[in-house]
Amino acid sequence: MIVTLPITVSGQGLHPFTSEVQRIVARSGRDEGLCSLFIRHTSASLLIQENYDDSARRDLENWLNRLVPENDPLYTHTLEGPDDMPAHIKAALTATQLGIPFQHGELMLGTWQGIYLWEHRRFRGTREVVLHL
């Protein structure tokens, strides 16, 4: 089973979509397996991270923005704006695919784990994540 999930983002940052994935897994009728997620973009990534305290996500975002700043004079790929090349680098340093086991129709995430699309640009719109069971 393959499903393309549209994920709406409102700019840079971590955007949760655990509930959307869990809903598809639960409705699939499959008892156990591996849920694979793949993002179809080069300037965003996927992450499993703390879902309880928003400050953990803000700290991650601030740390990565400090590590890979905009307007670095080394960048030559600047045609699409000052946030584009840093977004490509951030996506290269993080993950574009995830594998999450499920059992009894439930994702086997830890208590405080959530699934996030990490938007690295100031982009507002929709990103696509492909889910495969």
Side-chain angles (χ1 to χ4, degrees):
M1 168 183 194
I2 297 176
V3 176
T4 300
L5 291 168
I7 308 295
T8 302
V9 297
S10 57
Q12 280 184 344
L14 291 156
H15 303 275
F17 68 105
T18 310
S19 60
E20 291 93 327
V21 174
Q22 179 55 57
R23 190 174 310 112
I24 292 168
V25 169
R27 291 180 181 168
S28 74
R30 297 175 189 202
D31 185 55
E32 62 182 41
L34 183 68
C35 175
S36 299
L37 300 171
F38 173 75
I39 189 161
R40 300 180 63 188
H41 304 279
T42 60
S43 56
S45 56
L46 299 173
L47 185 70
I48 294 176
Q49 194 47 248
E50 159 102 33
N51 66 3
Y52 177 72
D53 185 357
D54 288 340
S55 68
R57 293 188 296 279
R58 281 192 306 274
D59 288 347
L60 274 171
E61 293 165 13
N62 290 335
W63 178 83
L64 194 57
N65 283 334
R66 184 176 66 187
L67 181 67
V68 186
E70 293 184 10
N71 299 308
D72 190 311
L74 291 175
Y75 304 151
T76 58
H77 178 69
T78 57
L79 182 64
E80 297 177 62
D83 65 339
D84 189 47
M85 190 59 220
H88 293 306
I89 294 169
K90 291 171 183 177
L93 294 173
T94 54
T96 57
Q97 57 190 350
L98 299 172
I100 306 159
F102 64 93
Q103 189 174 47
H104 309 300
E106 295 283 328
L107 294 169
M108 296 181 73
L109 293 169
T111 301
W112 307 117
Q113 289 182 315
I115 306 168
Y116 294 87
L117 185 153
W118 197 344
E119 177 58 56
H120 301 303
R121 296 200 71 186
R122 284 183 244 110
F123 173 80
R124 294 179 187 276
T126 304
R127 297 294 197 173
E128 292 183 342
V129 174
V130 177
L131 179 151
H132 178 245
L133 298 179

